[in-house]
Amino acid sequence: PPSSPAEGGLATLSDLAASSVPLDVALSNDRPSVVEFYADWCEVCKSSAKDSAQIRERYGERVNFVMLNVDNPKWAEEVSEYRVDGIPHWEYLSSRGQAKGFVVGNLPREILDANASALAEDLDLPYAREMRSASSVSERAEATQDQGAQRQAAGGTMPRDHG
């Protein structure tokens, strides 16, 4: 019987997770990384396991492949940091651990393969959304404090207050 997914064997999410590179290792070994956020109950995640395994076999010498289960509270910070709101979610990280982009959902193997190939060669990802800057929560808190100070200076009301 075939022993690997590339030879037609069956890949499962638990097999992929058990053999994946630990996140802390991936972030410190100077290789780019594909971080896949998944859940055991996710049918799309299950159906993409074979493709993920084949891509891992092809690029695993040059790229880390990390699996993070979104149902494990241990990864809540990463789920938030990378704004995972749908799975499967593949996050692409440079060799310095910086986000290069991501893709989400039921994607053809060709897209996942092209992104892994580009990552291995340190090229721009052909099929990934770019990460964009956003306001941090601390900036929001500062803005709220500034509005409070303005409100006090204006005698307790602001021009846009409704009341």
Side-chain angles (χ1 to χ4, degrees):
S3 59
S4 74
E7 297 167 356
L10 187 62
T12 67
L13 291 172
S14 58
D15 292 340
L16 290 173
S19 62
S20 74
V21 177
L23 182 61
D24 59 336
V25 172
L27 294 175
S28 63
N29 69 3
D30 296 325
R31 290 188 351 200
S33 300
V34 176
V35 180
E36 182 178 346
F37 291 90
Y38 75 98
D40 292 329
W41 49 263
C42 169
E43 292 302 320
V44 175
C45 301
K46 291 177 192 177
S47 69
S48 67
K50 180 179 178 182
D51 291 341
S52 292
Q54 290 174 339
I55 292 165
R56 183 189 295 193
E57 285 189 20
R58 186 167 179 185
Y59 299 103
E61 296 294 319
R62 296 179 289 160
V63 176
N64 298 308
F65 287 86
V66 179
M67 299 282 293
L68 302 181
N69 188 329
V70 298
D71 289 332
N72 184 337
K74 176 180 182 177
W75 306 121
E77 187 175 321
E78 286 76 12
V79 167
S80 176
E81 178 182 348
Y82 297 112
R83 298 182 185 152
V84 176
D85 59 3
I87 52 175
H89 175 119
W90 289 272
E91 192 72 36
Y92 298 92
L93 306 178
S94 72
S95 59
R96 294 171 307 286
Q98 297 170 320
K100 293 188 72 162
F102 65 95
V103 293
V104 179
N106 189 9
L107 301 167
R109 181 171 43 88
E110 292 76 18
I111 287 178
L112 301 175
D113 190 271
N115 279 349
S117 176
L119 192 66
E121 301 298 328
D122 198 25
L123 301 172
D124 289 338
L125 303 174
Y127 296 105
R129 297 181 194 177
E130 293 180 16
M131 298 302 292
R132 306 209 189 287
S133 62
S135 296
S136 71
V137 174
S138 62
E139 288 171 346
R140 187 180 116 233
E142 290 168 13
T144 303
Q145 288 172 350
D146 289 346
Q147 286 175 351
Q150 290 172 358
R151 184 179 309 279
Q152 268 187 329
T157 62
M158 293 293 287
R160 294 192 183 258
D161 280 351
H162 300 279

